[in-house]
């Protein structure tokens, strides 16, 4: 989606979220960090032990896909699927820089092949098909690899009769893959239709930010929709809307809380309670523990 | 003939058209036989037009696709539906004017038709919200498609939108959710679905009625993941680079045929469909009937299986296996 990505890039230029957050969480040098929200100085190890949530103000700092998996999955139970899939440059796309170069750079910086990790894990001994988008990889944008890996995971969940969780973090479509990117929305939604038909549980977890094409597809298709506190969730970008309306938007516009107020989020789950909440929901929906 | 609304790149035709008009006027006022000269000039103009339209850049195609006189959803319905009754409302408190639908007959078949509707002028466009549908529009579309599913009416959707509406109310009412549910539910439907991009297909707003067994596009229609203007300002950091973005994004029917997104590109006359709307209606009706002939004979399970497979195959990834590398479509 053009608009939200636009905002995301604009915000990134201002260093509003990528810069600030990654400084707090990614730099391993320095024992102390400062919370970007309340300014509290925190001991970095304490922050990590608290799922990167500020113990003073509750601000949820961004975490990467590996950290997310370790917060959800029982220890050593996550088995990644389709790790062999890598992106191509189907359009031969070049803007100020070639897409191929951007890919190589993102791969080098993150150690990932593309913007999502998929696999099967256990949560309190219950099986779960899990996809985690990684915002560090080109803004979590949805290209063919993201679409293909998620689709394969949904298909596996359907055939193996597994509940499914997709942790969303995305600026939307990956423009460098053109219409092939847009079509991933349809592809994943089609796979989710079959998972739903099989009467299996699907829950997206919306994390900061979940926007554009992801919001207009699998992020909003959960049987139950979970969100992290204060996560930005929306279809169109705030600035675009402000320009069309020429009026002030509510302060909490497009936050998880705002979406819950308007009926689009079932429950907001603080990260520190994520695993417990997931386990409870799985249990309540009849998911059995396995050895 | 009324003065045509000419696009920037059609300007070389202005002089010729002026001359033709002058000669016509002359002929009206005198007894001089000018038919020979007229024929010559008209042939020349037609040839120039053909040359211009054979070599349109993607950015120019966008202008044709957005041409204010390009046939719209209601124009096509009027052209090829024998019976037509528009049906209103999403049953949740709104009736979007930018996304309309109803039941009608094409030849011997009863069908459900849905499409984005733009306006011809500013006043109409305000009423139609420039063809940008609200969540209520997408929910009305789904309600009508469910109706078609119950009564086994094939679904014809006509795509012509700059994108789904981006506004406060649209966010509040769940624009993302409304589109998402349509994407999923269109895979469930048990009737044939044919989608045609008649003008511009703007991203998720287009896809929201675009999951189909067949996706058709007119020759000068475009289908984009993001508007070239937005793409240029994000990736080039310069909105003026929109023509470059339009080329890079691969948005034309021919490009999308190659990428496996589109099933058929429908020809347009030189000058575009606005030049010969009746012809456009004929071309589209024939194409729809042709595809319906193929699709209505399929058993439901096969139809849905094929629809799934069609979208399942979209995308390009590199799959590195132990035995080397291979590209899966």
């Amino acid at each position: 989606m053009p608009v939200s990505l636009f905002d995301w890039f604009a915000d990134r230029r201002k260093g509003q979220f990528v810069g600030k957050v990654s400084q707090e969480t990614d730099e391993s040098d320095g024992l102390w960090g400062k919370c970007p929200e309340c300014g509290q100085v925190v001991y970095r190890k304490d922050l990590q032990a608290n799922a990167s949530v500020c113990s003073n103000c509750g601000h949820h700092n961004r975490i990467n896909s590996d950290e997310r998996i370790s917060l959800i999955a029982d220890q050593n139970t996550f088995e990644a699927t389709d790790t062999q899939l890598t992106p191509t440059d189907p359009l031969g796309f070049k803007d100020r820089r070639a897409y191929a170069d951007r890919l190589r750079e993102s791969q080098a910086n993150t150690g990932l092949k593309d913007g999502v990790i998929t696999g099967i894990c256990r949560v309190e001994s219950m099986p779960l098909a899990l996809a985690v988008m990684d915002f560090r990889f080109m803004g979590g944008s949805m290209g063919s690899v993201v679409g293909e890996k998620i689709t394969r995971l949904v298909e596996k969940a359907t055939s193996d009769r597994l509940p499914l969780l997709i942790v969303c973090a995305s600026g939307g479509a990956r423009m460098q893959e053109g219409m092939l990117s847009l079509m991933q929305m349809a592809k994943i939604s089609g796979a989710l239709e079959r998972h739903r038909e099989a009467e299996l549980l699907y829950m997206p977890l919306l994390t900061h930010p979940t926007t554009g094409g992801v919001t207009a597809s699998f992020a909003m298709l959960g049987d139950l929709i979970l969100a992290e506190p204060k996560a930005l969730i929306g279809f169109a970008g705030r600035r675009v809307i402000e320009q069309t309306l020429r009026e002030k938007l509510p302060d909490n516009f497009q936050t998880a809380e705002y979406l819950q107020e308007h009926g689009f989020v079932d429950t907001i789950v603080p990260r520190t309670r994520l695993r417990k909440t997931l386990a409870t929901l799985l249990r309540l929906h009849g998911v059995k523990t396995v050895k | 003939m009324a003065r045509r609304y000419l696009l920037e790149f059609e300007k070389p035709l202005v002089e010729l058209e002026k001359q033709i008009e002058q000669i016509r006027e002359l002929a009206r006022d005198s007894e001089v036989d000018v038919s020979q000269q007229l024929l010559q000039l008209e042939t020349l103009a037609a040839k120039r037009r053909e040359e211009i339209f054979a070599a349109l850049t993607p950015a120019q195609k966008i202008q044709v696709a957005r041409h204010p006189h390009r046939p719209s959803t209601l124009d096509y319905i009027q052209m090829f539906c024998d019976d037509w009754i528009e049906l209103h409302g999403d049953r949740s408190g709104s009736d979007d004017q930018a996304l309309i639908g109803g039941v009608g007959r094409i030849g011997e078949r009863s069908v459900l038709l849905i499409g984005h509707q733009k306006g011809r002028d500013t006043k109409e466009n305000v009423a139609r919200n420039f063809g940008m549908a609200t969540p209520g529009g997408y929910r009305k579309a789904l309600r009508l498609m469910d109706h078609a599913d119950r009564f086994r009416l094939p679904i014809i959707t006509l795509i012509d939108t700059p994108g789904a509406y981006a506004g406060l109310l649209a966010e509040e009412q769940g624009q993302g959710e409304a589109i998402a549910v349509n994407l999923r539910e269109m895979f469930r439907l048990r009737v044939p679905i044919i989608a045609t991009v008649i003008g511009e297909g703007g991203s998720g707003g287009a896809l929201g009625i675009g999951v189909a067994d067949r996706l058709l596009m007119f020759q000068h229609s475009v289908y984009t993941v993001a508007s070239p203007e937005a793409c240029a300002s994000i990736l080039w950091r310069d909105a003026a680079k929109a023509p470059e973005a339009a080329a890079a994004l691969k948005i034309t029917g021919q490009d999308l045929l190659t990428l496996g997104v589109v099933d058929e590109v429908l020809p347009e006359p030189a000058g575009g469909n606005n030049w010969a709307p009746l012809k456009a209606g004929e071309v589209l009706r024939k194409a729809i009937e042709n595809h319906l002939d193929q699709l209505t004979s399929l058993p439901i399970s096969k139809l849905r299986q094929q629809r799934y497979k069609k979208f399942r195959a979209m995308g390009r990834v590199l799959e590195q296996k132990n035995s080397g590398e291979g590209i899966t479509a």
Side-chain angles (χ1 to χ4, degrees):
Chain A
M1 307 282 127
V3 281
S4 48
L5 261 180
F6 180 84
D7 272 12
W8 174 70
F9 277 92
D11 284 349
R12 194 174 70 157
R13 281 203 289 283
K14 285 192 282 169
Q16 275 193 339
F17 44 84
V18 174
K20 247 197 281 183
V21 177
S22 59
Q23 271 165 25
E24 293 305 315
T25 53
D26 290 350
E27 287 176 19
S28 47
D29 50 331
L31 289 173
W32 299 88
K34 198 171 166 188
C35 174
E37 193 64 27
C38 67
Q40 174 94 347
V41 175
V42 285
Y43 188 45
R44 211 175 286 278
K45 282 213 166 124
D46 286 347
L47 187 66
Q48 274 159 14
N50 199 39
S52 295
V53 176
C54 173
S55 53
N56 184 49
C57 71
H59 175 69
H60 284 53
N61 290 287
R62 186 186 310 289
I63 56 175
N64 66 35
S65 42
D66 281 342
E67 292 168 306
R68 176 69 67 179
I69 290 166
S70 67
L71 284 175
I72 292 172
D74 295 350
Q75 213 168 4
N76 299 325
T77 62
F78 183 80
E79 281 175 32
T81 53
D82 299 304
T83 52
Q84 76 282 16
L85 296 190
T86 55
T88 65
D89 178 14
L91 310 187
F93 196 94
K94 187 169 184 302
D95 44 81
R96 291 174 306 122
R97 294 178 55 204
Y99 176 42
D101 291 339
R102 285 185 196 264
L103 280 175
R104 266 193 292 275
E105 188 191 283
S106 258
Q107 286 166 339
N109 288 343
T110 60
L112 301 168
K113 287 183 176 140
D114 208 312
V116 71
I117 294 184
T118 56
I120 309 294
C121 68
R122 304 273 158 80
V123 178
E124 294 193 358
S125 299
M126 290 172 284
L128 177 70
L130 174 65
V132 180
M133 302 184 85
D134 199 311
F135 194 75
R136 294 174 305 163
F137 198 99
M138 296 188 72
S141 58
M142 178 166 46
S144 296
V145 170
V146 171
E148 183 65 23
K149 284 184 76 172
I150 292 179
T151 303
R152 288 190 191 185
L153 182 75
V154 179
E155 286 177 338
K156 184 172 172 55
T158 307
S159 62
D160 295 354
R161 299 204 59 79
L162 299 174
L164 169 70
L165 177 75
I166 303 179
V167 181
C168 304
S170 174
R174 186 171 298 169
M175 284 179 288
Q176 291 91 342
E177 293 193 21
M179 284 296 292
L180 293 179
S181 165
L182 189 76
M183 290 300 157
Q184 303 310 308
M185 293 166 60
K187 182 162 110 181
I188 297 168
S189 302
L192 286 172
E193 194 276 325
R194 295 183 158 197
H195 188 258
R196 179 185 171 89
E197 193 89 329
E199 301 188 340
L200 297 164
L201 179 66
Y202 165 47
M203 299 181 285
L205 170 66
L206 315 183
T207 71
H208 183 78
T210 297
T211 60
V214 169
T215 300
S217 59
F218 55 90
M220 283 292 151
L221 291 177
D223 295 296
L224 304 174
I225 301 180
L226 319 179
E228 284 209 327
K230 305 233 173 83
L232 171 78
I233 305 159
F235 174 70
R238 184 186 182 107
R239 193 120 28 90
V240 175
I241 298 168
E242 266 169 349
Q243 276 164 9
T244 13
L245 290 181
R246 301 187 184 288
E247 62 183 78
K248 213 173 145 10
L249 295 167
D251 283 339
N252 70 344
F253 184 60
Q254 292 184 328
T255 58
E257 292 74 14
Y258 173 91
L259 263 88
Q260 180 169 275
E261 234 169 72
H262 288 91
F264 293 99
V265 163
D266 283 284
T267 178
I268 294 172
V269 188
R271 197 182 290 159
T272 45
R273 291 215 299 270
L274 178 57
R275 193 203 305 251
K276 279 274 163 254
T277 307
L278 286 175
T280 305
L281 285 171
L282 291 175
R283 213 173 288 121
L284 286 171
H285 290 81
V287 179
K288 300 274 183 290
T289 58
V290 285
K291 270 198 79 181
Chain B
M1 192 184 137
R3 291 281 323 131
R4 280 207 325 133
Y5 175 100
L6 287 171
L7 299 167
E8 185 57 38
F9 54 84
E10 291 179 287
K11 292 288 148 77
L13 293 170
V14 174
E15 263 314 302
L16 277 171
E17 294 215 349
K18 234 187 241 164
Q19 283 180 36
I20 292 172
E21 204 133 310
Q22 276 168 358
I23 293 179
R24 279 221 183 93
E25 250 164 63
L26 199 74
R28 225 173 289 139
D29 303 337
S30 70
E31 300 289 304
V32 191
D33 179 22
V34 292
S35 56
Q36 207 51 32
Q37 282 150 292
L38 256 184
L39 188 71
Q40 241 176 5
L41 277 175
E42 277 173 346
T43 314
L44 184 63
K47 194 163 162 269
R48 290 299 303 278
R49 193 174 303 114
E50 222 155 278
E51 284 164 8
I52 290 171
F53 275 79
L56 290 184
T57 64
Q60 290 169 334
K61 277 184 192 271
I62 294 177
Q63 294 180 50
V64 181
R66 291 176 182 165
H67 197 290
H69 298 156
R70 193 169 175 82
S72 70
T73 291
L74 282 171
D75 293 329
Y76 283 111
I77 288 171
Q78 209 165 35
M79 282 188 273
F80 57 54
C81 274
D82 294 325
D83 296 314
W84 161 252
I85 294 179
E86 186 176 344
L87 302 170
H88 294 270
D90 65 354
R91 298 292 188 271
S92 298
S94 82
D95 180 40
D96 197 321
Q97 297 300 300
L99 184 42
I100 59 116
V103 285
R105 190 156 51 80
I106 299 177
E108 297 300 306
R109 282 191 188 97
S110 298
V111 296
L112 178 92
L113 294 114
I114 291 172
H116 303 103
Q117 183 64 41
K118 292 181 179 177
R120 288 248 174 277
D121 50 39
T122 311
K123 196 178 153 203
E124 264 180 47
N125 257 323
V126 168
R128 299 286 185 187
N129 200 23
F130 299 84
M132 297 185 290
T134 59
Y138 291 101
R139 291 183 183 125
K140 171 168 76 172
L142 182 58
R143 179 213 139 214
L144 292 176
M145 290 191 282
D146 273 331
H147 175 81
D149 187 67
R150 264 165 53 70
F151 291 92
R152 296 291 193 272
L153 308 173
I155 297 168
I156 312 298
T157 78
L158 304 178
I159 293 168
D160 189 16
T161 180
Y165 181 55
L168 174 65
L169 212 59
E171 294 291 318
E172 249 177 46
Q173 296 171 345
Q175 188 67 280
E177 195 263 359
I179 292 171
V181 170
N182 283 16
L183 301 189
R184 183 186 67 204
E185 294 303 298
M186 288 181 86
F187 280 98
R188 180 182 53 78
L189 300 173
R190 298 166 296 176
V191 293
I193 308 170
I194 298 172
T196 306
V197 186
I198 57 170
E200 58 177 330
S203 199
L207 192 60
I209 57 166
V211 175
D213 301 301
R214 297 280 193 278
L215 178 59
L216 320 180
M217 256 177 101
F218 270 109
Q219 192 183 347
H220 301 311
S221 291
V222 294
Y223 200 168
T224 57
V225 62
S227 80
E229 292 85 350
C231 177
S233 54
I234 297 166
L235 294 182
W236 277 262
R237 298 191 183 164
D238 180 2
K241 292 277 197 279
E244 278 95 321
L249 283 169
K250 304 283 188 249
I251 60 177
T252 69
Q254 200 51 53
D255 286 333
L256 295 173
L257 202 59
T258 311
L259 286 171
V261 171
V262 160
D263 297 295
E264 188 185 354
V265 178
L266 307 176
E268 295 188 33
N273 280 342
N274 55 287
W275 187 259
L278 289 176
K279 179 79 185 142
E282 190 60 24
V283 167
L284 182 54
R285 186 183 60 77
K286 279 208 178 117
I288 287 172
E289 289 196 308
N290 171 35
H291 287 290
L292 281 181
D293 285 343
Q294 297 168 23
L295 293 169
T296 43
S297 60
L298 293 176
I300 291 167
S301 60
K302 185 100 194 258
L303 182 75
R304 294 209 318 180
Q305 182 71 21
Q306 281 188 4
R307 190 182 305 151
Y308 185 78
K309 273 195 178 153
K310 173 183 162 64
F311 284 87
R312 186 66 191 79
M314 289 186 198
R316 297 275 167 83
V317 300
L318 202 61
E319 183 144 25
Q320 294 165 318
K321 290 221 170 98
N322 298 335
S323 54
E325 293 185 351
I327 292 179
T328 63

